[in-house]
Amino acid sequence: MASYDDIFKIKHNGLPPGKGKILISEPFSQEACFQRAVVLLIEHSIKDSMGLVVNKPTDLIVNNFLPELKSLPDIPVFQGGPVGFGQLVFFIHSLGPDTVPDSMWIREHLYMGGNLEALKNYLSEGHPTKGTVKFFSGYAGWESNQLNMEILRNSWLVSHSSPENILLAEDDSYWNHALEELGDPYRTWTNYPKSPNMN
């Protein structure tokens, strides 16, 4: 008979982390920011790593940070991570450098940052943000080799996701979706309680 520990055994899938990939948190993480979190890796090197949690909405709206957008429908801000939370810092988008000059390429059809004035002009013209632009307060950061060690400790699964899904992610349901895309045995994680001690 399988033991209790075997039923809830977590094991990473061996895929190496890298820029543009996603990190899926293990199901029992008790850190509020990373509970049922999916992180888009913006940078990953032997020196450090940086990412944005893409599925943690906040009560903040972009319109309060950027007065030029006050008249637009509310644009949500996501908690990108625990570092620097409280200030509007980052945005990712699918627009590319033709629309937002100086955008940093993350992967095909997905960019970070760029000329904020150009983006504000684009949004002020009435273009939708949903599925195109996502704003963040805070970010997730790891020091040298820290992320690799966390993956070896089975705190994260590494996977791929489409830019569209990343930009549309809104809540824990994206964590479920990312796991289901990996198939068995990982889709069973979606049935686990947030605490293994819960009945």
Side-chain angles (χ1 to χ4, degrees), residues 13 22 24 38 107 157-166 173-188 190:
N13 57 351
I22 60 170
I24 307 170
V38 180
R107 50 172 292 191
L157 282 176
V158 181
S159 188
H160 300 275
S161 188
S162 72
E164 181 181 17
N165 286 339
I166 290 168
S173 64
Y174 179 55
W175 181 86
N176 291 348
H177 175 76
L179 286 171
E180 288 167 356
E181 285 194 321
L182 287 173
D184 293 330
Y186 300 109
R187 68 164 52 97
T188 61
T190 62

Side-chain angles (χ1 to χ4, degrees), residues 125-147:
E125 291 171 357
H127 297 285
T129 58
K130 190 175 179 66
T132 304
V133 183
K134 180 175 279 192
F135 292 87
F136 299 90
S137 178
Y139 67 95
W142 293 266
E143 297 177 350
S144 176
N145 209 37
Q146 181 183 359
L147 178 57

Side-chain angles (χ1 to χ4, degrees), residues 67 81 83 110 114 124 128 139 141 144 163 167 193 195:
V83 184
L110 193 59
S124 296
Y139 67 95
S144 176
L167 288 165
S195 170

Side-chain angles (χ1 to χ4, degrees), residues 106-123:
I106 300 174
R107 50 172 292 191
E108 188 176 10
H109 305 306
L110 193 59
Y111 303 83
M112 179 174 170
N115 187 292
L116 183 58
E117 290 302 316
L119 178 62
K120 287 190 290 187
N121 290 336
Y122 175 85
L123 297 178

